[in-house]
Amino acid sequence: MAVPKLLIPDIKGAAHIVYEPGKLYPHHNLYFITATEWELRALQAVLLSDVTRAFITLYSTKMRGGYLRFQAQYLRRLRLPRWCDVPAALRKELMAAGISRDASACDDAAAALYKLTAKERQALVATRVPFRTPTATAWATSRG
């Protein structure tokens, strides 16, 4: 598939959305998103944000160890405004946040996109579950 895309692993503790310029073909539990209207780097910022994490947390089956499933059926439920309705300054902010992959910048830009109040943003932060990677000892113990 020689088109730019965003790559998303199916199971991950936190969103891991990677821009791919069109040289690779994804396989095995790796989803991809292409876009005709939205700029992919801006979309990447939205997908890396607390807003998306909150929706995926609500929709997704939680796996052992706190992992979330970023399946296509859950990603399709996310709602975006039309790109042509996003103000130019916010478009630039979203694109810069996606390119930098800075979590705070992605959260700020997505909050502006969805016009979240300070109280709504605090609620998103309050629902964050710290992701823990299971230790080798915990894994070995759970295996008997």
Side-chain angles (χ1 to χ4, degrees), residues 112-130:
L113 179 69
Y114 291 104
K115 299 177 174 85
L116 299 181
T117 65
K119 189 173 184 176
E120 289 166 333
R121 289 195 68 184
Q122 287 175 337
L124 285 176
V125 171
T127 62
R128 281 186 199 154
V129 175

Side-chain angles (χ1 to χ4, degrees), residues 38-108:
W38 265 72
E39 176 9 86
L40 280 176
R41 294 302 198 146
L43 183 56
Q44 182 180 24
V46 174
L47 293 173
L48 287 169
S49 73
D50 274 346
V51 173
T52 296
R53 180 204 40 83
F55 279 109
I56 296 299
T57 300
L58 291 171
Y59 299 146
S60 173
T61 302
K62 289 177 188 63
M63 307 301 286
R64 186 176 186 156
Y67 289 92
L68 297 173
R69 299 207 67 183
F70 287 82
Q71 292 181 308
Q73 66 196 30
Y74 307 130
L75 295 170
R76 283 187 195 108
R77 295 178 78 178
L78 300 172
R79 295 295 173 244
L80 295 167
R82 293 178 41 188
W83 183 243
C84 63
D85 295 335
V86 177
L90 183 52
R91 287 180 184 198
K92 288 180 184 178
E93 183 181 350
L94 285 160
M95 288 186 279
I99 290 167
S100 73
R101 297 179 44 86
D102 176 82
S104 181
C106 291
D107 290 339
D108 291 344

Side-chain angles (χ1 to χ4, degrees), residues 16-32:
H16 190 76
I17 316 299
V18 176
Y19 176 81
E20 196 285 308
K23 297 178 182 180
L24 304 175
Y25 184 84
H27 287 277
H28 309 294
N29 294 328
L30 189 65
Y31 295 102
F32 66 91

